[in-house]
Amino acid sequence: MSEVDVVRRRNLMASGVAVALAGGGAAAYGLAGRGSTGPDASSGDFSDIPAQLRGLLPERHAALIALDMERPRGGLREFVKRVRAATEPGASVGFALGATFFGPKDSLPRQLKAMPHFAGDLLEPEMSHGDLLVHIAGDRAAAIRRTVEGIRSTASPHGNVRWHIDGSRPANRVEGGKGLTRNPFHFTEGFGNPGTERETLDRALITTDQDEPQWAVGGSYQVVRIIRFATDLWDKDSVREQERIIGRRRDGGWLDGTPVDERPNYAADPTGRLTPLDSHVRLAAPDRRSPPPIVRRSYSYDRGNGDTGIIFSCFQRDLTQGFEAAQKRLEGESMAKYLLTTGGGYFFVPPPGDGWMDALTH
Ligand code: HEM
């Protein structure tokens, strides 16, 4: 067992975890008995992976609720208990902490801060940030809806809902060990993710050598971006044009003819004749041998009146090398004119169990 495993296991034991995960253990996430339809049926115990990352396994619906918590935080434990009690069978919940959650004496995860504005962002304060993010996911929309209602009605007096958004993963499926979905712009997403196996998820988790607080080891930084998409404008473009903007075919194939599960040879296309230099995938991951160290897990949203887009979500152990490096490269992408980021935030997903509450409520 590695040192990280030892620390993580110790955290879990201290918090009596295996059980503390809201919604139950692996079975609640559909891990048990998936047989050949799931990628991870044989990869063992996921109880020490935060629920949000375990949600990388097939799930079709999700909701994010960000709350501002009352001070002092004495009511946090009671609030978490209520959320867990409100969680319907078939739904899982996970918690994540915003920078404003922490008091001056707390050991804050080193990189946690308010999500900055990136070029072109128009962050609405009432849809951004928050002390606590509750992430609800599962296969049945009704279970998610009832869980959201339960949480909303139970939040007061411990916290106030700051924002809430529902998302879905149309055509959610697992192929070649990767969770795939079709986004509202007719493209399949998820290929460029590292695989969904245990080892890959591990790569998004904080390790002991990162000089992070002890309670945070085994957790992960989560970035959420509510990105509105100009679907009308996009739908006027030809499929070929759209594919040159993304840099992949709608079904995931590469523009230079490389099969979907292999690496394209960008070096053989230095001027971007086949895969444009300002295409999404070429800027997001210019070196296919070392893809960005993030695990993406986005949902589609539709709030009516043409307000559709993606709830982009990704997990990583290092924000600077992960999301921020990719986001900065994407500033010049040809897709930018279709996108408007209106909300979201930076959060820290604690390792499973109650160790974080023990460490932070004193
Ligand atoms: C509305 C916004 C976005 C749309 C429609 C979108 C769409 C896509 C699509 C269709 C792919 C190709 C299939 C796949 O590998 O999943 C992709 C890949 C990728 N996207 Fe996005 N994306 C969006 C935002 C972002 C953001 C904000 C980031 C990170 C800052 C990002 C990072 C990536 C990465 C790293 C890949 C994999 C590239 C590769 O492996 O070649 N995307 N995206």
Side-chain angles (χ1 to χ4, degrees), residues 247-249 252-260 262-264 266 281 288:
R248 286 185 99 147
R249 305 232 174 270
W254 295 100
L255 300 187
D256 67 358
T258 304
V260 68
E262 288 175 29
R263 294 183 192 144
Y266 291 149
V281 294
R288 298 288 312 162

Side-chain angles (χ1 to χ4, degrees), residues 262-302:
E262 288 175 29
R263 294 183 192 144
N265 185 0
Y266 291 149
D269 178 25
T271 59
R273 191 177 59 83
L274 297 171
T275 308
L277 302 179
D278 58 359
S279 62
H280 183 66
V281 294
R282 195 150 177 180
L283 284 175
D287 179 359
R288 298 288 312 162
R289 284 159 310 173
S290 99
I294 63 179
V295 178
R296 284 174 298 134
R297 179 61 169 178
S298 300
Y299 303 92
S300 300
Y301 79 82
D302 183 351

Side-chain angles (χ1 to χ4, degrees), residues 223-240:
V223 176
V224 176
R225 308 262 296 161
I226 301 174
I227 308 177
R228 185 172 174 160
F229 200 91
T231 314
D232 289 352
L233 191 65
W234 180 254
D235 284 344
K236 288 197 184 102
D237 292 342
S238 66
V239 172
R240 187 182 138 75

Side-chain angles (χ1 to χ4, degrees), residues 183 185 187-193 225 227 229 246 248 254 266 280-282 284-285 288 291-292 294 296 310 312 323 326-327 330 333 335 339:
N183 73 22
F185 331 115
F187 279 75
T188 301
E189 256 187 72
F191 291 113
N193 255 335
R225 308 262 296 161
I227 308 177
F229 200 91
I246 294 286
R248 286 185 99 147
W254 295 100
Y266 291 149
H280 183 66
V281 294
R282 195 150 177 180
R288 298 288 312 162
I294 63 179
R296 284 174 298 134
I310 279 182
F312 172 87
F323 169 76
Q327 179 63 31
L330 287 173
E333 67 174 329
M335 187 162 69
L339 308 180

Side-chain angles (χ1 to χ4, degrees), residues 3-9 11-12 48 50 109 205-220 348-352:
E3 198 191 343
V4 180
D5 288 337
V6 171
V7 172
R8 211 183 293 150
R9 205 153 282 276
N11 283 347
L12 292 176
D48 60 344
L205 304 183
I206 303 289
T207 55
T208 39
D209 55 6
Q210 283 187 255
D211 200 19
E212 292 280 11
Q214 169 83 14
W215 66 265
V217 172
S220 189
F348 188 80
V349 180

Side-chain angles (χ1 to χ4, degrees), residues 3-219:
E3 198 191 343
V4 180
D5 288 337
V6 171
V7 172
R8 211 183 293 150
R9 205 153 282 276
R10 205 184 304 134
N11 283 347
L12 292 176
M13 310 278 270
S15 58
V17 121
V19 279
L21 296 160
Y29 300 92
L31 292 177
R34 269 193 186 277
S36 59
T37 59
D40 296 299
S42 59
S43 2
D45 179 14
F46 279 69
S47 58
D48 60 344
I49 300 261
Q52 296 91 322
L53 274 109
R54 276 182 289 150
L56 290 164
L57 297 160
E59 94 210 330
R60 282 183 298 152
H61 301 279
L64 301 183
I65 305 179
L67 298 111
D68 290 328
M69 302 304 287
E70 288 304 325
R71 300 287 193 274
R73 285 180 319 217
L76 176 69
R77 224 173 259 280
E78 173 61 21
F79 173 74
V80 166
K81 206 166 116 194
R82 288 187 186 190
V83 169
R84 288 175 176 160
T87 304
E88 293 271 327
S92 72
V93 295
F95 299 93
L97 312 168
T100 49
F101 172 88
F102 294 87
K105 291 196 198 135
D106 289 331
S107 50
L108 183 84
R110 279 197 313 130
Q111 295 189 338
L112 193 58
K113 58 184 178 192
M115 181 171 77
H117 281 72
F118 291 92
D121 285 5
L122 208 62
L123 298 181
E124 298 163 5
E126 64 278 12
M127 282 305 293
S128 309
H129 318 302
D131 296 340
L132 187 70
L133 183 72
V134 185
H135 187 138
I136 306 136
D139 262 350
R140 291 183 11 245
I144 306 296
R145 202 175 48 246
R146 283 198 298 270
T147 303
V148 168
E149 283 162 11
I151 294 172
R152 289 191 84 109
S153 64
T154 204
S156 173
H158 306 300
N160 297 305
V161 174
R162 185 181 171 95
W163 54 269
H164 155 219
I165 190 162
D166 296 313
S168 64
R169 289 180 57 82
N172 198 27
R173 63 193 191 281
V174 174
E175 271 175 35
K178 293 182 192 294
L180 303 180
T181 182
R182 195 188 55 240
N183 73 22
F185 331 115
H186 327 293
F187 279 75
T188 301
E189 256 187 72
F191 291 113
N193 255 335
T196 54
E197 306 84 355
R198 169 77 215 217
E199 289 76 13
T200 309
L201 295 182
D202 266 353
R203 269 182 251 141
L205 304 183
I206 303 289
T207 55
T208 39
D209 55 6
Q210 283 187 255
D211 200 19
E212 292 280 11
Q214 169 83 14
W215 66 265
V217 172

